[in-house]
Amino acid sequence: MDISQNKNGTTVDLVVSGRLDTNTAPQLEAAIKQAAVGSKVMNLDLSAVEYMSSTGLRDILLAHKIMGGAGGKLVVQKPSDFVMQVLEATSMDKLLNIVK
């Protein structure tokens, strides 16, 4: 899994690619926690995520909780078909702000 970050003022973009699973989720969790500091909007681009397990879903929910708790927001950008299927199957698509 690769994660790139771009911060512009209080908006941070995290672009994730590859597999988001038990082995790689800790890397995303650390990136989310670091990127959230001083941010009001976190854009999480999941367009290049080819697989996501429940640990990846947990990371997305963590980002939602951190950003919401700080008065900000998380925007899930362009989830891949697989990620969207997971979000829909777990009804997280109703909770999260998703931009296709």
Coordinates of all heavy atoms in Angstrom, one line a residue:
M1 N 0.8 -1.2 0.0 CA 0.0 0.0 0.0 C 0.9 1.2 0.0 O 1.9 1.3 0.7 CB -0.9 0.0 1.2 CG -1.8 1.2 1.3 SD -2.8 1.3 2.8 CE -1.7 1.6 4.0
D2 N 0.5 2.2 -0.8 CA 1.1 3.5 -0.8 C 0.2 4.6 -0.4 O -1.0 4.5 -0.7 CB 1.6 3.8 -2.2 CG 2.8 2.9 -2.6 OD1 3.7 2.7 -1.8 OD2 2.8 2.5 -3.8
I3 N 0.7 5.6 0.4 CA -0.1 6.7 0.8 C 0.6 8.0 0.5 O 1.8 8.1 0.8 CB -0.4 6.7 2.3 CG1 -1.0 5.4 2.7 CG2 -1.3 7.9 2.7 CD1 -1.1 5.2 4.2
S4 N 0.0 8.9 -0.3 CA 0.6 10.2 -0.5 C -0.3 11.2 0.2 O -1.5 11.1 0.3 CB 0.8 10.5 -2.0 OG -0.5 10.6 -2.6
Q5 N 0.4 12.3 0.6 CA -0.4 13.4 1.4 C 0.0 14.7 0.8 O 1.1 15.0 0.4 CB 0.1 13.3 2.8 CG -0.6 14.4 3.7 CD -0.1 14.4 5.1 OE1 0.1 13.3 5.7 NE2 0.1 15.6 5.7
N6 N -1.1 15.5 0.7 CA -0.9 16.9 0.2 C -1.8 17.8 1.1 O -3.0 17.6 1.3 CB -1.4 17.1 -1.2 CG -1.2 18.5 -1.7 OD1 -0.2 19.2 -1.4 ND2 -2.1 18.9 -2.6
K7 N -1.1 18.8 1.8 CA -1.9 19.6 2.7 C -1.9 21.0 2.1 O -0.9 21.6 1.6 CB -1.2 19.7 4.1 CG -2.1 20.3 5.1 CD -1.7 19.8 6.5 CE -2.7 20.3 7.5 NZ -2.6 19.7 8.8
N8 N -3.1 21.6 2.1 CA -3.3 23.0 1.6 C -4.1 23.7 2.6 O -5.3 23.6 2.7 CB -4.0 22.9 0.2 CG -4.1 24.3 -0.4 OD1 -3.6 25.3 0.1 ND2 -4.8 24.4 -1.5
G9 N -3.5 24.5 3.5 CA -4.2 25.2 4.5 C -4.7 24.2 5.5 O -4.0 23.4 6.1
T10 N -6.0 24.2 5.7 CA -6.7 23.3 6.7 C -7.3 22.1 6.0 O -8.1 21.4 6.6 CB -7.7 24.0 7.5 OG1 -8.7 24.6 6.6 CG2 -7.1 25.1 8.4
T11 N -7.0 21.9 4.7 CA -7.5 20.8 3.9 C -6.3 19.8 3.6 O -5.2 20.3 3.2 CB -8.1 21.2 2.6 OG1 -9.2 22.0 2.9 CG2 -8.6 20.0 1.8
V12 N -6.5 18.6 3.9 CA -5.5 17.6 3.7 C -6.1 16.5 2.8 O -7.2 16.1 2.9 CB -4.9 17.0 5.0 CG1 -5.9 16.2 5.8 CG2 -3.7 16.1 4.7
D13 N -5.3 16.1 1.8 CA -5.7 15.0 0.8 C -4.8 13.8 1.1 O -3.5 14.0 1.1 CB -5.5 15.5 -0.6 CG -6.3 16.7 -1.0 OD1 -7.5 16.7 -0.5 OD2 -5.9 17.5 -1.7
L14 N -5.4 12.7 1.3 CA -4.6 11.4 1.5 C -5.1 10.5 0.3 O -6.2 10.3 0.1 CB -4.9 10.7 2.8 CG -4.4 11.4 4.1 CD1 -4.9 10.6 5.3 CD2 -2.9 11.5 4.1
V15 N -4.1 10.1 -0.5 CA -4.4 9.2 -1.6 C -3.8 7.9 -1.3 O -2.6 7.7 -1.1 CB -3.8 9.8 -2.9 CG1 -4.1 8.9 -4.1 CG2 -4.3 11.2 -3.2
V16 N -4.7 6.9 -1.3 CA -4.3 5.5 -0.9 C -4.4 4.6 -2.1 O -5.3 4.7 -2.9 CB -5.2 5.0 0.3 CG1 -4.8 3.6 0.7 CG2 -5.3 6.0 1.4
S17 N -3.4 3.8 -2.3 CA -3.4 2.8 -3.4 C -2.9 1.5 -2.9 O -2.1 1.4 -1.9 CB -2.6 3.3 -4.5 OG -1.2 3.4 -4.2
G18 N -3.4 0.4 -3.5 CA -3.0 -1.0 -3.2 C -4.0 -1.7 -2.3 O -5.2 -1.4 -2.4
R19 N -3.5 -2.5 -1.5 CA -4.3 -3.3 -0.6 C -4.4 -2.7 0.8 O -3.3 -2.4 1.4 CB -3.8 -4.8 -0.5 CG -3.9 -5.5 -1.8 CD -3.3 -6.9 -1.6 NE -3.9 -7.7 -0.6 CZ -5.0 -8.5 -0.8 NH1 -5.6 -8.5 -2.0 NH2 -5.5 -9.2 0.2
L20 N -5.6 -2.6 1.3 CA -5.8 -2.0 2.7 C -6.3 -3.2 3.5 O -7.5 -3.5 3.5 CB -6.8 -0.9 2.6 CG -7.1 -0.1 3.9 CD1 -5.9 0.3 4.6 CD2 -7.9 1.1 3.5
D21 N -5.4 -3.8 4.2 CA -5.7 -5.0 5.0 C -5.0 -5.0 6.4 O -4.5 -4.0 6.8 CB -5.4 -6.3 4.2 CG -3.9 -6.3 3.8 OD1 -3.0 -5.7 4.5 OD2 -3.6 -7.0 2.8
T22 N -5.0 -6.1 7.0 CA -4.4 -6.2 8.4 C -3.0 -5.8 8.4 O -2.5 -5.2 9.4 CB -4.6 -7.7 8.9 OG1 -6.0 -8.0 8.9 CG2 -4.1 -7.8 10.3
N23 N -2.3 -6.1 7.4 CA -0.8 -5.8 7.3 C -0.6 -4.3 7.1 O 0.4 -3.8 7.5 CB -0.1 -6.6 6.3 CG -0.1 -8.1 6.6 OD1 0.0 -8.5 7.7 ND2 -0.3 -8.9 5.6
T24 N -1.4 -3.6 6.3 CA -1.2 -2.3 5.9 C -2.0 -1.2 6.7 O -1.7 0.0 6.7 CB -1.4 -2.1 4.4 OG1 -2.8 -2.4 4.1 CG2 -0.5 -2.9 3.6
A25 N -3.1 -1.7 7.3 CA -4.0 -0.7 8.0 C -3.2 0.1 9.1 O -3.5 1.3 9.2 CB -5.1 -1.5 8.7
P26 N -2.3 -0.4 9.8 CA -1.6 0.5 10.8 C -0.9 1.6 10.1 O -0.8 2.7 10.7 CB -0.5 -0.5 11.5 CG -1.2 -1.8 11.3 CD -1.9 -1.8 10.0
Q27 N -0.4 1.5 8.9 CA 0.3 2.5 8.2 C -0.7 3.7 7.9 O -0.4 4.8 8.0 CB 0.9 2.0 6.9 CG 1.6 3.0 6.0 CD 2.1 2.4 4.7 OE1 2.0 1.2 4.5 NE2 2.6 3.2 3.8
L28 N -1.9 3.3 7.5 CA -3.0 4.3 7.2 C -3.4 4.9 8.5 O -3.6 6.2 8.5 CB -4.2 3.6 6.4 CG -5.3 4.6 6.1 CD1 -4.8 5.8 5.3 CD2 -6.4 3.9 5.4
E29 N -3.6 4.2 9.5 CA -4.0 4.8 10.8 C -3.0 5.9 11.2 O -3.4 6.9 11.6 CB -4.1 3.7 11.9 CG -4.5 4.2 13.2 CD -4.7 3.2 14.3 OE1 -4.7 2.0 14.0 OE2 -4.7 3.5 15.5
A30 N -1.7 5.6 11.1 CA -0.7 6.6 11.5 C -0.8 7.8 10.6 O -0.7 8.9 11.1 CB 0.7 5.9 11.4
A31 N -1.0 7.6 9.3 CA -1.1 8.7 8.4 C -2.3 9.6 8.7 O -2.3 10.8 8.6 CB -1.2 8.2 6.9
I32 N -3.5 8.9 9.0 CA -4.7 9.7 9.3 C -4.5 10.5 10.6 O -4.8 11.7 10.6 CB -5.9 8.7 9.5 CG1 -6.3 8.1 8.2 CG2 -7.0 9.3 10.3 CD1 -7.2 6.9 8.3
K33 N -3.9 9.9 11.6 CA -3.7 10.7 12.9 C -2.8 11.8 12.7 O -3.0 12.9 13.2 CB -3.2 9.7 13.9 CG -4.2 8.7 14.5 CD -3.6 7.8 15.5 CE -4.7 6.9 16.0 NZ -4.1 5.9 17.0
Q34 N -1.7 11.7 11.9 CA -0.8 12.7 11.6 C -1.4 13.8 10.8 O -1.3 15.0 11.0 CB 0.5 12.2 11.0 CG 1.6 13.1 10.8 CD 1.5 14.0 9.5 OE1 1.0 13.5 8.5 NE2 1.9 15.2 9.5
A35 N -2.2 13.4 9.7 CA -2.8 14.4 8.8 C -3.9 15.2 9.4 O -4.2 16.3 9.0 CB -3.3 13.6 7.6
A36 N -4.6 14.6 10.4 CA -5.7 15.3 11.0 C -5.3 16.5 11.9 O -6.1 17.4 12.1 CB -6.5 14.3 11.9
V37 N -4.0 16.5 12.3 CA -3.6 17.6 13.2 C -3.7 18.9 12.4 O -3.0 19.1 11.3 CB -2.1 17.4 13.7 CG1 -1.6 18.6 14.4 CG2 -2.1 16.1 14.5
G38 N -4.5 19.9 12.9 CA -4.6 21.2 12.2 C -5.5 21.2 11.0 O -5.6 22.2 10.3
S39 N -6.1 20.1 10.7 CA -6.9 20.0 9.5 C -8.4 20.1 9.8 O -8.9 19.6 10.8 CB -6.7 18.7 8.7 OG -5.4 18.6 8.3
K40 N -9.2 20.7 8.9 CA -10.6 20.8 9.0 C -11.3 19.9 8.0 O -12.5 19.5 8.3 CB -11.1 22.3 8.8 CG -10.7 23.2 10.0 CD -11.4 22.8 11.2 CE -11.0 23.7 12.4 NZ -11.6 23.3 13.7
V41 N -10.7 19.6 6.9 CA -11.2 18.7 5.9 C -10.2 17.7 5.5 O -9.0 18.1 5.2 CB -11.7 19.5 4.6 CG1 -12.2 18.5 3.6 CG2 -12.7 20.5 5.0
M42 N -10.6 16.4 5.6 CA -9.7 15.4 5.1 C -10.3 14.7 3.9 O -11.5 14.2 4.1 CB -9.4 14.4 6.2 CG -8.5 13.2 5.8 SD -8.2 12.0 7.1 CE -7.2 12.9 8.2
N43 N -9.7 14.8 2.8 CA -10.2 14.1 1.6 C -9.4 12.8 1.5 O -8.1 12.8 1.4 CB -9.9 14.9 0.3 CG -10.8 16.2 0.3 OD1 -12.0 16.1 0.6 ND2 -10.1 17.3 0.1
L44 N -10.1 11.7 1.6 CA -9.5 10.3 1.5 C -9.8 9.7 0.2 O -10.9 9.2 -0.1 CB -10.0 9.5 2.7 CG -9.4 8.1 3.0 CD1 -7.9 8.3 3.2 CD2 -10.0 7.5 4.2
D45 N -8.8 9.7 -0.7 CA -9.0 9.2 -2.1 C -8.7 7.7 -2.1 O -7.6 7.3 -1.9 CB -8.0 10.0 -3.0 CG -8.2 9.6 -4.5 OD1 -8.6 8.4 -4.8 OD2 -8.0 10.4 -5.4
L46 N -9.7 6.9 -2.4 CA -9.6 5.5 -2.3 C -9.8 4.9 -3.7 O -10.1 3.7 -3.9 CB -10.6 4.9 -1.4 CG -10.5 5.4 0.1 CD1 -11.6 4.8 0.9 CD2 -9.2 5.1 0.7
S47 N -9.6 5.7 -4.8 CA -9.8 5.2 -6.1 C -8.9 4.1 -6.6 O -9.2 3.3 -7.4 CB -9.8 6.4 -7.1 OG -8.5 7.0 -7.1
A48 N -7.7 4.0 -6.0 CA -6.7 3.0 -6.4 C -6.6 1.9 -5.3 O -5.6 1.1 -5.4 CB -5.4 3.7 -6.6
V49 N -7.6 1.8 -4.4 CA -7.5 0.7 -3.5 C -8.2 -0.5 -4.1 O -9.4 -0.5 -4.4 CB -8.3 1.1 -2.1 CG1 -8.3 -0.1 -1.2 CG2 -7.5 2.2 -1.5
E50 N -7.4 -1.6 -4.3 CA -7.9 -2.8 -5.0 C -8.6 -3.8 -4.0 O -9.4 -4.6 -4.5 CB -6.8 -3.5 -5.7 CG -5.6 -3.9 -4.8 CD -4.4 -4.1 -5.6 OE1 -4.0 -3.4 -6.5 OE2 -3.7 -5.1 -5.2
Y51 N -8.3 -3.7 -2.7 CA -8.9 -4.6 -1.8 C -8.9 -3.9 -0.4 O -8.0 -3.2 -0.1 CB -8.1 -5.9 -1.6 CG -8.5 -6.8 -0.5 CD1 -9.6 -7.6 -0.7 CD2 -7.9 -6.8 0.7 CE1 -10.1 -8.4 0.4 CE2 -8.3 -7.6 1.8 CZ -9.4 -8.4 1.6 OH -9.9 -9.2 2.6
M52 N -10.0 -4.1 0.3 CA -10.1 -3.5 1.7 C -10.8 -4.5 2.6 O -11.9 -5.0 2.3 CB -10.9 -2.2 1.7 CG -11.0 -1.6 3.0 SD -11.8 0.0 3.0 CE -13.5 -0.4 2.8
S53 N -10.1 -4.8 3.7 CA -10.7 -5.7 4.7 C -11.4 -4.9 5.8 O -11.4 -3.7 5.7 CB -9.6 -6.6 5.3 OG -8.7 -5.8 6.2
S54 N -11.9 -5.6 6.8 CA -12.5 -4.9 7.9 C -11.6 -3.9 8.6 O -12.1 -2.9 9.2 CB -13.2 -5.9 8.9 OG -12.2 -6.7 9.4
T55 N -10.3 -4.2 8.6 CA -9.4 -3.3 9.3 C -9.3 -2.0 8.5 O -9.1 -0.9 9.1 CB -8.0 -3.9 9.5 OG1 -7.5 -4.4 8.3 CG2 -8.0 -5.1 10.5
G56 N -9.4 -2.0 7.2 CA -9.4 -0.8 6.4 C -10.6 0.0 6.7 O -10.6 1.2 6.8
L57 N -11.8 -0.7 6.8 CA -13.0 0.0 7.2 C -12.9 0.7 8.6 O -13.3 1.8 8.7 CB -14.2 -1.0 7.2 CG -15.6 -0.5 7.5 CD1 -16.0 0.5 6.4 CD2 -16.6 -1.6 7.5
R58 N -12.2 0.0 9.5 CA -12.0 0.6 10.8 C -11.2 1.9 10.7 O -11.5 2.9 11.4 CB -11.3 -0.4 11.7 CG -11.2 0.0 13.2 CD -10.2 -0.8 14.0 NE -8.8 -0.7 13.6 CZ -8.0 0.3 14.0 NH1 -8.5 1.2 14.7 NH2 -6.8 0.3 13.6
D59 N -10.2 1.9 9.8 CA -9.4 3.1 9.6 C -10.2 4.2 9.1 O -10.1 5.4 9.5 CB -8.2 2.8 8.7 CG -7.1 2.1 9.4 OD1 -7.1 2.0 10.7 OD2 -6.1 1.7 8.7
I60 N -11.1 3.9 8.2 CA -12.0 5.0 7.6 C -12.9 5.5 8.7 O -13.1 6.8 8.8 CB -12.8 4.4 6.4 CG1 -11.9 4.1 5.3 CG2 -13.8 5.5 6.0 CD1 -12.5 3.3 4.1
L61 N -13.5 4.7 9.5 CA -14.3 5.1 10.6 C -13.5 5.9 11.6 O -14.0 6.9 12.2 CB -15.0 3.9 11.3 CG -16.0 3.2 10.4 CD1 -16.5 1.9 11.1 CD2 -17.2 4.1 10.0
L62 N -12.3 5.5 11.9 CA -11.4 6.3 12.8 C -11.2 7.7 12.2 O -11.3 8.7 13.0 CB -10.1 5.6 12.9 CG -9.0 6.4 13.7 CD1 -9.4 6.5 15.2 CD2 -7.6 5.7 13.6
A63 N -11.0 7.8 10.9 CA -10.8 9.2 10.3 C -12.1 10.0 10.5 O -12.1 11.2 10.8 CB -10.4 9.0 8.8
H64 N -13.2 9.3 10.3 CA -14.5 10.0 10.4 C -14.7 10.5 11.8 O -15.1 11.7 12.0 CB -15.6 9.0 10.0 CG -17.0 9.5 10.2 ND1 -17.6 10.5 9.4 CD2 -18.0 9.3 11.1 CE1 -18.8 10.8 9.8 NE2 -19.1 10.0 10.8
K65 N -14.4 9.7 12.8 CA -14.5 10.1 14.2 C -13.5 11.2 14.6 O -13.9 12.1 15.3 CB -14.2 8.8 15.1 CG -14.4 9.1 16.6 CD -14.1 7.8 17.4 CE -14.2 8.1 18.8 NZ -13.9 6.9 19.6
I66 N -12.3 11.1 14.2 CA -11.3 12.1 14.5 C -11.7 13.4 13.9 O -11.7 14.5 14.6 CB -9.9 11.7 14.0 CG1 -9.3 10.5 14.9 CG2 -8.9 12.9 14.1 CD1 -8.1 9.9 14.3
M67 N -12.0 13.4 12.6 CA -12.4 14.7 12.0 C -13.7 15.3 12.5 O -13.7 16.5 12.8 CB -12.5 14.5 10.5 CG -11.1 14.1 9.8 SD -9.8 15.3 10.2 CE -10.4 16.8 9.4
G68 N -14.7 14.5 12.8 CA -15.9 15.0 13.3 C -15.8 15.5 14.7 O -16.3 16.5 15.1
G69 N -14.9 14.8 15.5 CA -14.7 15.2 16.9 C -14.0 16.5 17.0 O -14.1 17.3 18.0
A70 N -13.2 16.9 15.9 CA -12.5 18.2 15.9 C -13.3 19.2 15.2 O -12.7 20.3 14.9 CB -11.1 17.9 15.3
G71 N -14.6 19.0 14.9 CA -15.4 20.0 14.2 C -15.1 20.0 12.7 O -15.5 20.9 12.0
G72 N -14.4 19.0 12.2 CA -14.1 19.0 10.7 C -14.9 17.9 10.1 O -15.9 17.5 10.6
K73 N -14.5 17.5 8.9 CA -15.2 16.5 8.2 C -14.3 15.7 7.3 O -13.2 16.1 6.9 CB -16.3 17.1 7.3 CG -15.8 17.9 6.1 CD -17.0 18.3 5.2 CE -16.6 19.0 4.0 NZ -17.6 19.3 3.1
L74 N -14.7 14.4 7.1 CA -14.0 13.5 6.2 C -14.8 13.3 5.0 O -16.0 13.2 5.0 CB -13.9 12.1 6.9 CG -13.4 11.0 6.0 CD1 -12.0 11.1 5.7 CD2 -13.7 9.6 6.7
V75 N -14.1 13.4 3.8 CA -14.8 13.1 2.6 C -14.1 12.0 1.9 O -12.9 12.0 1.7 CB -14.7 14.4 1.6 CG1 -15.4 14.1 0.3 CG2 -15.3 15.6 2.3
V76 N -14.8 10.9 1.6 CA -14.2 9.7 0.9 C -14.4 10.0 -0.5 O -15.5 10.2 -1.1 CB -15.0 8.4 1.3 CG1 -14.4 7.3 0.5 CG2 -14.8 8.2 2.8
Q77 N -13.3 10.1 -1.2 CA -13.2 10.5 -2.6 C -13.1 9.3 -3.5 O -12.2 8.5 -3.3 CB -12.0 11.4 -2.9 CG -12.0 12.7 -2.1 CD -12.9 13.8 -2.8 OE1 -13.2 13.7 -4.0 NE2 -13.3 14.8 -2.0
K78 N -13.9 9.2 -4.5 CA -13.8 8.2 -5.6 C -13.5 6.8 -5.1 O -12.5 6.2 -5.6 CB -12.8 8.7 -6.6 CG -13.0 10.1 -7.2 CD -11.9 10.5 -8.1 CE -10.9 11.2 -7.3 NZ -9.8 11.8 -8.0
P79 N -14.2 6.2 -4.2 CA -13.9 4.8 -3.8 C -13.9 3.9 -5.0 O -14.8 4.0 -5.9 CB -15.0 4.5 -2.8 CG -16.1 5.4 -3.1 CD -15.5 6.7 -3.7
S80 N -13.0 3.0 -5.0 CA -13.0 1.9 -6.1 C -14.2 1.1 -6.0 O -15.0 1.1 -5.0 CB -11.7 1.0 -5.9 OG -11.8 0.3 -4.7
D81 N -14.5 0.3 -7.0 CA -15.7 -0.5 -7.0 C -15.7 -1.4 -5.8 O -16.8 -1.6 -5.1 CB -15.9 -1.3 -8.3 CG -16.2 -0.4 -9.5 OD1 -16.7 0.7 -9.3 OD2 -16.0 -0.9 -10.6
F82 N -14.6 -2.0 -5.5 CA -14.5 -3.0 -4.4 C -14.8 -2.3 -3.1 O -15.5 -2.7 -2.2 CB -13.1 -3.7 -4.3 CG -13.1 -4.8 -3.3 CD1 -13.5 -6.0 -3.6 CD2 -12.7 -4.5 -2.0 CE1 -13.4 -7.1 -2.6 CE2 -12.7 -5.5 -1.0 CZ -13.0 -6.8 -1.3
V83 N -14.1 -1.1 -2.9 CA -14.3 -0.3 -1.6 C -15.8 0.1 -1.5 O -16.4 0.0 -0.4 CB -13.4 0.9 -1.6 CG1 -13.8 1.8 -0.4 CG2 -12.0 0.4 -1.5
M84 N -16.4 0.5 -2.6 CA -17.8 0.9 -2.6 C -18.7 -0.3 -2.2 O -19.7 -0.1 -1.4 CB -18.2 1.5 -3.9 CG -19.5 2.3 -3.8 SD -19.3 3.7 -2.8 CE -21.0 3.9 -2.2
Q85 N -18.4 -1.4 -2.7 CA -19.2 -2.6 -2.3 C -19.1 -2.9 -0.8 O -20.1 -3.2 -0.2 CB -18.7 -3.9 -3.1 CG -19.1 -3.9 -4.5 CD -18.4 -5.0 -5.3 OE1 -17.7 -5.8 -4.8 NE2 -18.8 -5.1 -6.6
V86 N -17.9 -2.7 -0.2 CA -17.7 -2.9 1.2 C -18.5 -1.9 2.0 O -19.2 -2.2 3.0 CB -16.2 -2.9 1.6 CG1 -16.0 -2.9 3.1 CG2 -15.5 -4.1 1.0
L87 N -18.4 -0.6 1.5 CA -19.1 0.4 2.2 C -20.6 0.2 2.2 O -21.3 0.4 3.2 CB -18.8 1.8 1.6 CG -17.3 2.2 1.8 CD1 -17.0 3.5 1.1 CD2 -16.9 2.3 3.3
E88 N -21.1 -0.2 1.0 CA -22.6 -0.5 0.9 C -23.0 -1.7 1.7 O -24.1 -1.7 2.3 CB -22.9 -0.6 -0.6 CG -22.9 0.6 -1.4 CD -23.0 0.5 -2.9 OE1 -22.9 -0.7 -3.4 OE2 -23.2 1.5 -3.6
A89 N -22.2 -2.7 1.7 CA -22.6 -4.0 2.4 C -22.6 -3.7 3.9 O -23.4 -4.4 4.6 CB -21.6 -5.1 2.1
T90 N -21.9 -2.8 4.4 CA -21.8 -2.5 5.8 C -22.7 -1.3 6.2 O -22.7 -0.8 7.3 CB -20.4 -2.2 6.3 OG1 -19.8 -1.2 5.5 CG2 -19.5 -3.5 6.1
S91 N -23.4 -0.7 5.2 CA -24.2 0.5 5.4 C -23.4 1.7 5.8 O -24.0 2.7 6.2 CB -25.4 0.3 6.3 OG -26.2 -0.7 5.8
M92 N -22.1 1.7 5.6 CA -21.3 2.8 5.9 C -21.4 3.9 4.9 O -21.1 5.1 5.2 CB -19.8 2.4 6.0 CG -19.4 1.4 7.1 SD -19.9 1.6 8.8 CE -20.3 3.2 9.1
D93 N -22.0 3.6 3.7 CA -22.2 4.6 2.7 C -23.3 5.6 3.1 O -23.3 6.7 2.6 CB -22.6 3.9 1.4 CG -23.9 3.1 1.5 OD1 -24.1 2.4 2.5 OD2 -24.7 3.1 0.5
K94 N -24.1 5.2 4.1 CA -25.1 6.1 4.6 C -24.6 7.0 5.7 O -25.1 8.1 6.0 CB -26.3 5.3 5.2 CG -27.0 4.5 4.1 CD -28.0 3.6 4.7 CE -28.8 2.8 3.6 NZ -28.1 2.3 2.5
L95 N -23.5 6.6 6.3 CA -22.8 7.4 7.4 C -21.8 8.4 6.8 O -21.7 9.6 7.3 CB -22.2 6.5 8.4 CG -21.3 7.2 9.5 CD1 -22.2 7.9 10.4 CD2 -20.5 6.1 10.2
L96 N -21.0 8.0 5.8 CA -19.9 8.7 5.3 C -20.3 9.7 4.2 O -21.3 9.4 3.5 CB -18.8 7.8 4.8 CG -18.3 6.8 5.8 CD1 -17.4 5.7 5.1 CD2 -17.5 7.5 6.9
N97 N -19.5 10.8 4.1 CA -19.7 11.7 3.0 C -18.8 11.1 1.9 O -17.6 11.2 1.9 CB -19.2 13.1 3.4 CG -19.4 14.1 2.4 OD1 -19.9 13.8 1.3 ND2 -19.0 15.3 2.6
I98 N -19.5 10.6 0.8 CA -18.8 10.0 -0.3 C -19.0 10.8 -1.6 O -20.1 11.1 -1.9 CB -19.3 8.5 -0.5 CG1 -19.0 7.7 0.8 CG2 -18.6 7.9 -1.7 CD1 -19.6 6.3 0.8
V99 N -17.9 11.1 -2.2 CA -18.0 11.8 -3.5 C -17.4 10.8 -4.6 O -16.3 10.4 -4.5 CB -17.1 13.1 -3.5 CG1 -17.1 13.7 -4.9 CG2 -17.6 14.0 -2.5
K100 N -18.3 10.4 -5.5 CA -17.9 9.4 -6.5 C -17.4 10.2 -7.7 O -16.6 10.2 -8.4 CB -19.1 8.6 -7.0 CG -19.7 7.8 -5.9 CD -20.8 7.0 -6.4 CE -21.5 6.2 -5.2 NZ -22.6 5.4 -5.6

